[in-house]
Amino acid sequence: MTLLKIVTHPSSFLRNLSSEVKRKYIKTEEFQRFLDDMIETMKSAQGVGLAAPQVAKNLRVIIALDGEKPLVLINPRMHFKSWRKISSEEGCLSIPGAWGIVKRHYAVSVKALNRRGEKTKFRARGLLSVIIQHEIDHLNGVLFIDKAKKFTNPPKM
Ligand code: CO
């Protein structure tokens, strides 16, 4: 396993729109290794989520920590967002030291492909829902500092 280098703000990787992963590519050894590397990189950086653009790959792949378990979501799509919102303090491995309060949907329903290339569908609420929304934003070039209403620790840039 290889630890990947985490890209920090400002970087075009963090602002690009990421591309969908082709289904055939999911089963390749190269991509499977990349997923393992992403998981390892997230754990070693003590993050609760990681999106591929953060390791300089503009692909629609995110890892979200569901309790102890890393959840791999490929080409994730939110098809339901609760009306109810939740405000919580967020940080980002790509913006070291910055913390801010972001308001997000309390619950979301997500459709994605898992690491075997199978369709999955599930609903997340609370912290997991927040992590998933934060990571999906990365795939669209959006950072939490764009959405934070209040900073507990402002970004340096
Ligand atoms: Co982030």
Side-chain angles (χ1 to χ4, degrees):
M1 231 115 33
T2 319
L3 288 184
L4 306 168
K5 190 174 181 290
I6 296 176
V7 166
T8 53
H9 171 69
S11 159
S12 57
F13 285 112
L14 299 173
R15 291 307 190 179
N16 292 338
L17 180 67
S18 291
S19 319
E20 297 233 315
V21 182
K22 299 239 165 55
R23 226 162 161 176
K24 260 170 73 183
Y25 181 57
I26 295 176
K27 290 193 176 159
T28 64
E29 210 177 294
E30 179 184 64
F31 186 69
Q32 291 295 318
R33 196 177 314 127
F34 174 65
L35 294 176
D36 290 333
D37 291 346
M38 271 187 78
I39 292 169
E40 223 41 51
T41 303
M42 178 189 73
K43 284 183 179 168
S44 119
Q46 295 185 305
V48 291
L50 188 71
Q54 295 183 272
V55 290
K57 273 240 187 337
N58 281 120
L59 284 176
R60 303 189 78 81
V61 181
I62 65 171
I63 314 285
L65 210 51
D66 181 8
E68 302 274 277
K69 203 178 85 221
L71 200 61
V72 174
L73 300 175
I74 302 163
N75 303 338
R77 246 178 242 196
M78 287 185 280
H79 61 97
F80 165 83
K81 299 166 184 170
S82 69
W83 176 83
R84 181 181 164 192
K85 300 279 181 75
I86 176 177
S87 286
S88 55
E89 189 177 39
E90 295 187 20
C92 180
L93 294 176
S94 292
I95 315 169
W99 294 91
I101 308 296
V102 184
K103 197 176 192 180
R104 298 193 186 269
H105 302 285
Y106 171 72
V108 293
S109 290
V110 182
K111 285 180 183 174
L113 297 175
N114 64 20
R115 66 179 302 163
R116 290 186 298 240
E118 300 156 345
K119 286 183 182 169
T120 56
K121 202 161 71 171
F122 66 95
R123 183 174 286 217
R125 56 193 166 86
L127 178 61
L128 182 60
S129 165
V130 167
I131 296 170
I132 288 171
Q133 290 169 74
H134 174 120
E135 301 311 332
I136 289 179
D137 272 351
H138 274 300
L139 307 182
N140 299 319
V142 176
L143 300 172
F144 88 90
I145 52 173
D146 306 335
K147 293 187 164 175
K149 293 279 184 293
K150 197 173 80 191
F151 286 100
T152 34
N153 213 18
K156 290 190 189 85
M157 291 291 300

